[in-house]
Amino acid sequence: MTATATAASAATAASAATGGALDTLLVSLQLTDSAFPSGRYTLSHSLEGFLQAKAVSATSMPVLLTDLLRHSIGPGDATALALAHRAAVTGDWDTVAEVDQRLHASKLNRELRLAAIRTGRQLLDTAQLALGGPILDRYATLVTAGRAPGCQAVAAGVAYASGGVGTEQAVASDLFAFAVSFTGAALRLRLTDHRRAQTTLRSIAPAIKEVTAAALRREAADLGGCVPAADIMSGRHERAEARMFAS
Amino acid sequence: MTDDVLRVGVAGPVGSGKTALIEALVPVLIARGRRPAVVTNDIYTQEDAQHVRRNLAGVLDPERVVGVETGACPHTAVRDDPTMNLAAGAELLERFPDIDTLLYESGGDNLTLTFSPVLADMFFFVLDTAEGEKMPRKRGPGITDSDVLVINKTDIARYVRCDLAVMTADADRVREGRPVVLTNSLTGDGIDRVADLLESYRRVSA
């Protein structure tokens, strides 16, 4: 919490007097909301590729989500988010840039890299406007200068830091946002319905907690997941003749 | 937007002639000395992007046509959360800084589709006569709020029991006099008028 307090931007400092904890919750809710414009609704996070290969069903979709959280998003995006968040809080911009580059390099498919960068830069753009603060401005300078690619997870980490949200809550929030985006894609791909999607989201809470804890422990050298099957599905999806989603 | 690029949206139902309008418009713009590029929002395939590249081969560099997937949400992609289109447009401008006109074709959608003012400086809504004479009377923000309403496929009106005079009068009435253009994009009828109206939205350089 000490580190978080250091990170407090002017806006957060002002709100601290009127209930900082509640304010950071509101920041989390806003950044996690699927209505936050970062284009995530165009992504299926490899799910459409799995469906095209007939390698996922309505029954196995939640299992696939849990697997991706544990072995792809957790070691990759969530870890990058945690590392970038901590580094942004302490003003260690070299580390923020390095984490961003590592995360980008860990994504093996073009469409996954492109999706990360497109959503990241758009998230950054709107967060700068909506949340504001020197932390986001500094990171935007790095991205514009080409020193950091601007991956979604890193941009989100910096945005959460700017809003005074603690590392753990930031990681859990973004993992939940991923799960919402994934189940939203599943809904449009007829792999779930509006009620079962909510059951899935609640049932994966233990996995999100576990993945959050692991991400908080991981170091930069361990950044990056290992999901060869998902990478192959994404690779095939990239060349698929027909698709609804950008990933 | 702070640059001198005119961003133009093209909306309308499935099959009304959004792609055909763009394919007819681009050569006219190029003949007028403009340097356009196209972002298509395909629903399920890259059909539109490929169609535009194929039909404009020799006129427009295929690299200046990109497709954006919309996750089955065409209206979200141009109105509620246009970020992926903004990203695609920004990437095109980064690669080809000479572009002065960006055409965004939305996925085919219903009559409520409008473009975010952040994404497009102006937008066309394309109807066609085969959809039925009644379409303008149905209104919907696409028909009433678009900057220019285009009624395409005028040549087949008589075969689909569509009275163009009624359709145009209804369109004029619900749009309170804002521009309505009749086109046949395959022969080029009306396209000069479309290009004139597009140009009228270009900011005068300081």
Side-chain angles (χ1 to χ4, degrees), chain B:
Chain B
M1 302 293 169
T2 51
D3 53 34
D4 286 331
V5 179
L6 180 68
R7 290 157 170 87
V8 177
V10 180
V14 177
S16 65
K18 297 179 293 300
T19 310
L21 181 74
I22 286 173
E23 289 172 358
L25 189 56
V26 164
V28 174
L29 292 175
I30 290 174
R32 293 183 182 196
R34 295 299 178 190
R35 293 172 301 277
V38 183
V39 178
T40 66
N41 284 197
D42 285 308
I43 299 299
Y44 197 49
T45 62
Q46 288 273 321
E47 190 61 36
D48 285 342
Q50 282 162 5
H51 199 278
V52 172
R53 286 187 197 114
R54 207 164 45 233
N55 276 16
L56 291 177
V59 180
L60 185 69
D61 176 1
E63 297 276 301
R64 293 182 185 231
V65 181
V66 298
V68 170
E69 291 87 357
T70 60
C73 301
H75 48 274
T76 309
V78 298
R79 187 187 58 208
D80 312 349
D81 178 357
T83 51
M84 291 304 95
N85 273 306
L86 288 168
E91 285 163 21
L92 266 172
L93 291 175
E94 227 167 79
R95 284 181 66 198
F96 305 105
D98 65 309
I99 290 169
D100 61 11
T101 313
L102 259 181
L103 299 168
Y104 287 99
E105 178 187 350
S106 86
D109 203 28
N110 62 41
L111 304 180
T112 62
L113 185 116
T114 54
F115 268 75
S116 161
V118 174
L119 183 63
D121 301 304
M122 64 88 64
F123 77 98
F124 295 97
F125 196 86
V126 184
L127 286 178
D128 81 271
T129 57
E131 285 156 356
E133 184 188 286
K134 65 182 185 298
M135 290 298 269
R137 289 198 294 277
K138 288 186 163 187
R139 299 182 183 85
I143 288 175
T144 56
D145 298 0
S146 52
D147 296 292
V148 178
L149 179 70
V150 173
I151 299 176
N152 190 35
K153 306 186 194 173
T154 51
D155 54 325
I156 61 166
R158 58 191 159 140
Y159 304 116
V160 292
R161 299 179 191 176
C162 168
D163 186 335
L164 262 178
V166 172
M167 201 172 178
T168 316
D170 285 343
D172 285 336
R173 182 170 50 81
V174 302
R175 288 175 55 76
E176 296 171 344
R178 273 171 303 123
V180 177
V181 187
L182 302 181
T183 61
N184 175 351
S185 291
L186 297 185
T187 59
D189 287 353
I191 300 301
D192 269 318
R193 174 78 180 128
V194 169
D196 291 344
L197 287 164
L198 177 152
E199 290 296 338
S200 72
Y201 283 85
R202 208 178 285 279
R203 270 185 295 273
V204 180
S205 303

Side-chain angles (χ1 to χ4, degrees), chain A residues 11 21 31 33 35-36 53 56 77 93 127-128 189:
Chain A
L31 290 173
D33 191 345
F36 191 92
V56 66
D77 293 59
W93 294 103
Q128 258 188 298
L189 291 166

Side-chain angles (χ1 to χ4, degrees), chain A residues 20-94:
Chain A
L22 197 55
D23 194 63
T24 56
L25 171 67
L26 291 170
V27 170
S28 279
L29 291 172
Q30 186 171 358
L31 290 173
T32 310
D33 191 345
S34 61
F36 191 92
S38 60
R40 260 189 164 168
Y41 68 95
T42 67
L43 310 178
S44 86
H45 316 280
S46 79
L47 182 61
E48 189 172 35
F50 274 95
L51 181 65
Q52 286 171 341
K54 298 186 171 59
V56 66
S57 65
T59 316
S60 62
M61 182 279 289
V63 183
L64 176 61
L65 170 57
T66 309
D67 278 357
L68 288 173
L69 284 169
R70 281 204 178 111
H71 305 293
S72 171
I73 305 302
D77 293 59
T79 299
L81 193 153
L83 293 167
H85 181 282
R86 287 197 204 105
V89 163
T90 57
D92 182 358
W93 294 103
D94 287 340

